[in-house]
Amino acid sequence: MYDLIVIGAGAAGLMAAATAARAGKQVLLMEKMEKAGRKIRISGKGRCNLTNARPAEEFKEAIRTNADFFDVAFAEFNNKATIRFFERLGVKLDIERGQRVFPHSGKAWDIANALEDYCKDNGVEFMFNTRVCEILTLGGKVYGVEYINKRGFKRKEEAANVIIATGGVSYPGTGSTGDGYIFADQVGHTVEAVRPSLTPLRTSHPQAKFLNGLLLKNINAKLYIDDELRQEEFGEISFSDRGIEGAVALRVSRDAVDALIDEKRVKLVIDCKPALTEEILTERIKREIAEMQPDEFFSELLRKLVPKHLVIPIAHELDVHSKNYIRKVTDAEITRLVKVLKGFVFPITDYAPFEYAVVTAGGVRCDEVNKYTMESLKVKGLYFAGEVLDIDANTGGYNLQIAFSTGRLAGQLKK
């Protein structure tokens, strides 16, 4: 009989297992995939943005749901503690723009391997290719799990404590397929509706197909819901076959997704020239035109102002042929061009599915979990950690910190 069974060898599960094992507990870590830390290994485009070094008050502002619940876990193991933890494991770290923290090597595998090695060094027993199918309880207390092993046989394993750290349903190819929500529901917990968060947004704009591969830096974007300004962000935005993405789009996606689910009108308005007022931009355009030859094309003017991917879409937006001679451009068309550059409107009609979402919004209700221990308030000896909980945050390293902090607290097995 083990002291603890941890379900899920992701960021939260690995941290929880190692914490308990280091305290002298007999720990079994069950993972249905063939290796640990699958999602860590692909996070941050393979670089792993493991935390954010902002001060605590700024860090909290990035937590979108149940920030007060997370306060205790963060106080026990905050972003500074995470940085020290990995550096002590021999992983050199860099703090980059936006206070985002990455391994110096640029390899997410270094973070995953360091966590897995830390578990093994402290005596955690791993069981891979093992799918837990039920949490075993008796008299309001957990006593183990039922699982299917890699040979397809159903087995049971007993433990005085169980931590559910199965993640959400984002990137299901890494093993996050919502198992934890099923377990929670089976033992009487309430699960808030899950939906993609930090996910690409899809637009019905007729020129969107021309924008695939476009990256815009230092732009300002405003999210409108039912024509009311809901959120404003500055940074990078990009376009791909998945939709509108990049840090700016991902940060506004949380509110956009909820609004679309509620069947509200959503649009993203992009200011391509946020450093310039309309008046200064108008003067610049007129100056560019004055320096051009009369027989040059309108497209050549646009190319001086925007990346080539935007030339045709803007020409269509203005209803001006890209091969129009520059000498024929009117003041009214210049005015319209300024309006488009300062406010290119993209109707948002859908969002990318969980396969492309960075994290899952929704999950096990936090008011049914003891925030000082991460233990269930319904089943003794049952704990939750990581993305399975109804906590999510902006992009920038915050969500992995949620996993590390809640995993660390759960692994202490406080009663």
Side-chain angles (χ1 to χ4, degrees):
M1 182 174 174
Y2 293 92
D3 295 306
L4 171 67
I5 292 174
V6 179
I7 309 170
L14 288 165
M15 183 63 79
T19 300
R22 189 169 178 80
K25 306 297 184 183
Q26 292 294 113
V27 181
L28 173 63
L29 181 49
M30 291 182 159
E31 168 57 48
K32 70 178 181 181
M33 305 301 284
E34 77 286 353
K35 66 175 64 174
R38 284 286 299 271
K39 191 172 179 181
I40 298 174
R41 297 174 193 276
I42 65 168
S43 67
K45 297 181 179 179
R47 296 183 62 221
C48 188
N49 181 187
L50 66 148
T51 189
N52 192 290
R54 293 186 187 279
E57 61 275 11
E58 292 182 24
F59 194 103
K60 184 174 180 178
E61 291 175 359
I63 309 298
R64 299 298 305 275
T65 312
N66 292 307
D68 290 340
F69 174 88
F70 179 63
D71 277 347
V72 176
F74 188 70
E76 289 262 351
F77 191 77
N78 62 19
N79 47 359
K80 293 180 181 179
T82 296
I83 291 170
R84 289 195 300 269
F85 173 82
F86 282 102
E87 287 181 336
R88 286 170 181 166
L89 294 184
V91 182
K92 187 177 180 181
L93 304 176
D94 292 333
I95 299 178
E96 300 185 4
R97 181 171 49 85
Q99 296 296 295
R100 298 173 301 159
V101 181
F102 293 89
H104 178 74
S105 65
K107 297 177 181 178
W109 281 60
D110 288 351
I111 299 299
N113 290 342
L115 271 174
E116 185 175 4
D117 290 345
Y118 184 64
C119 284
K120 291 176 179 177
D121 290 345
N122 283 285
V124 174
E125 182 180 336
F126 283 83
M127 193 180 288
F128 293 110
N129 296 300
T130 301
R131 184 171 65 84
V132 174
C133 47
E134 186 179 351
I135 307 296
L136 302 176
T137 63
L138 182 65
K141 188 180 188 322
V142 73
Y143 72 89
V145 301
E146 187 173 74
Y147 65 95
I148 298 174
N149 65 19
K150 61 183 178 181
R151 300 176 68 182
F153 296 110
K154 187 173 284 190
R155 297 284 186 264
K156 292 180 181 180
E157 199 66 65
E158 293 189 0
N161 301 280
V162 172
I163 296 177
I164 297 176
T166 49
V169 284
S170 56
Y171 291 130
T174 64
S176 297
T177 53
D179 297 355
Y181 305 135
I182 297 173
F183 302 150
D185 179 70
Q186 288 173 345
V187 297
H189 273 274
T190 307
V191 178
E192 293 289 344
V194 297
R195 61 270 190 212
S197 185
L198 305 184
T199 195
L201 299 172
R202 292 177 172 169
T203 178
S204 59
H205 195 288
Q207 302 304 313
K209 59 182 178 291
F210 292 105
L211 302 178
N212 197 5
L214 172 65
L215 170 65
L216 295 174
K217 296 183 177 181
N218 301 319
I219 59 92
N220 191 78
K222 295 179 179 178
L223 177 72
Y224 288 86
I225 296 174
D226 283 346
D227 294 323
E228 179 182 338
L229 178 61
R230 178 65 61 86
Q231 193 174 344
E232 186 171 357
E233 297 287 344
F234 180 85
E236 294 184 359
I237 205 163
S238 60
F239 297 78
S240 74
D241 54 4
R242 294 180 293 272
I244 305 175
E245 46 190 344
V248 165
L250 295 185
R251 287 199 294 267
V252 304
S253 68
R254 177 69 155 76
D255 287 340
V257 168
D258 286 349
L260 290 169
I261 291 172
D262 292 338
E263 298 184 345
K264 295 180 179 180
R265 299 189 313 279
V266 181
K267 65 181 178 182
L268 193 62
V269 181
I270 296 175
D271 182 350
C272 301
K273 303 291 182 181
L276 304 178
T277 64
E278 289 191 7
E279 292 75 16
I280 293 175
L281 183 56
T282 300
E283 291 175 7
R284 178 188 166 183
I285 292 172
K286 289 182 176 180
R287 188 166 60 250
E288 294 283 4
I289 291 174
E291 294 174 356
M292 296 176 68
Q293 298 299 317
D295 58 351
E296 288 188 84
F297 296 131
F298 183 61
S299 60
E300 293 172 80
L301 169 65
L302 294 180
R303 191 65 188 87
K304 295 174 182 291
L305 300 169
V306 296
K308 62 181 180 180
H309 285 83
L310 273 176
V311 171
I312 297 300
I314 287 180
H316 276 275
E317 193 82 2
L318 298 172
D319 196 24
V320 176
H321 199 285
S322 62
K323 296 299 183 183
N324 267 15
Y325 290 120
I326 200 69
R327 66 174 181 269
K328 293 184 177 181
V329 174
T330 66
D331 286 344
E333 288 169 343
I334 292 174
T335 299
R336 282 160 44 207
L337 172 57
V338 170
K339 294 293 184 184
V340 170
L341 290 175
K342 294 292 291 179
F344 204 149
V345 179
F346 291 91
I348 304 300
T349 51
D350 200 0
Y351 50 88
F354 284 112
E355 284 80 0
Y356 304 114
V358 177
V359 296
T360 306
V364 176
R365 282 188 59 141
C366 290
D367 60 3
E368 296 177 357
V369 177
N370 185 334
K371 68 179 179 180
Y372 297 99
T373 64
M374 294 294 125
E375 186 179 17
S376 165
L377 294 174
K378 294 177 175 288
V379 181
K380 291 185 182 301
L382 181 64
Y383 297 77
F384 296 94
E387 197 176 345
V388 71
L389 289 161
D390 183 20
I391 313 176
D392 64 286
N394 290 335
T395 183
Y398 303 100
N399 290 286
L400 266 177
Q401 182 64 54
I402 290 172
F404 294 140
S405 296
T406 55
R408 179 82 166 206
L409 185 54
Q412 293 176 17
L413 301 179
K414 293 181 179 180
K415 297 295 183 183

